[in-house]
Amino acid sequence: MIGLEKLAASLENCRCGRKHWFTVKRIEISEGVTRRMGKILSECGFPKKILLVCDRNTLGASEGVVESLAGENFDVGMTVFEDLKLSDMASAEAVGRDVERTESRAILSVGTGSLNDICRWNAAKLRIPFAILATAPSMDGFASGVAPITVNGFKRTFPAVPPDVIAADTEVLRKSPAELKAAGLGDLLGKYTAYADWVVASALTGEYFCENVAALTLGAVERAAELARAGDFDSKEYAAALMEALVISGLAMQLCGCSRPASGAEHHLAHFWEMQYELRNLPGIYHGKKVGAAAGIVADMYRGLSRLKSVKEKRRALDTETLSGVYGRLWPEVLRENEPDPLDAVPGGAVEKNWGMIRKVLGAVPSGEEIRALLRRAGGAATAEECGIPEELVTQAKKYARYVRRRITVMRLTDMLDTEDNRG
């Protein structure tokens, strides 16, 4: 179990100069949590009128949670989706209406990902407490304070609140589908390239960076990756370590007040695919599954760049004509993410001057083959092709995904380099 007091103490007087804090009050990852959920929420002072939000799959995986709440005299309202895979505004607003209908004063999200996001958005909007009972270690957003919600096909990130309580039953986690556990591992493996992006951006622009929080994140990722290398994917120990690493990744974002510890170019590829799937009306793919495939692609690119002994800068204007065609009706939203161009913050000559340092950081990223091998061992899809993503979208993502967010990544920096890919 994650010791919050010990974590807080370890970050006191941090060398980064910022005061780190988080709002999560309790994290419980252990066997039998489902049967204790009512008691846990009571001990944390949750109001007795509560809305339980789930879908049929997550409710089935959490047998006994309703009885646990009733045993602690909770008055439980229910919002049960059929199979919620996309956090869209229609679903979020449906939860809000059910809170009002049932006069609930708190929300319990039973599940992961999209269910959590629409609940945290409502908790922030309605200013009520919010808890998560996770049913699979499938993504790193459990402790997040923002909610990515799709509006008219564009994934927007809304201010929200982290949960007061994060709970997970290791037996439920252990039994969760291999595809979901592999998605969680994929989301974690993306932290390697995100770390490289954060270090490089900070060195070039002075952007805030915290070595301690970055180390906390990478340490958690390494522990989960080590268990994955051992191959005991059906054990409670692996499920618990994976869940803890995912929760720590989310806490790291709280501690820094940004998503830098957990998200870089690999997430931009995942977001690009999500947007293109929406444009083409294709069924969605688990977030972590996409991130894992993207992490392998970005790692290959970064390791390739690390072999260049020197580079020359050649800045280019944004090709708005091409980009507007690629992004279609979503282009106005994407354009706003590029005005002003984030590369304007990079001083002229800075990349050439710091290339030795950049090479070292990129060379430390695990190879794409290492990432793919771990995903395959975990029983997950290791490539975009194995995820079912069309080859055309893979090619486009390598060129155009860097523009989905106003953020400097090494992939975005290639826009200002005179490389073979940028000629002609």
Side-chain angles (χ1 to χ4, degrees), residues 280-328:
R280 299 169 187 225
N281 199 29
L282 296 172
I285 299 171
Y286 290 119
H287 169 77
K289 191 173 180 177
K290 294 191 296 286
V291 172
I297 291 171
V298 176
D300 283 337
M301 176 188 168
Y302 285 8
R303 291 287 287 261
L305 286 170
S306 76
R307 291 190 282 273
L308 298 178
K309 293 183 178 180
S310 64
V311 294
K312 291 191 177 296
E313 292 184 16
K314 184 179 180 181
R315 299 195 179 216
R316 286 170 298 282
L318 202 66
D319 184 358
T320 55
E321 183 177 350
T322 298
L323 289 171
S324 64
V326 170
Y327 283 98

Side-chain angles (χ1 to χ4, degrees), residues 394-412:
V394 178
T395 301
Q396 286 187 346
K398 292 176 182 178
K399 293 181 178 180
Y400 308 125
R402 66 195 74 175
Y403 305 106
V404 301
R405 292 287 184 269
R406 184 183 288 118
R407 169 162 288 179
I408 294 174
T409 65
V410 175
M411 184 170 273
R412 185 67 184 258

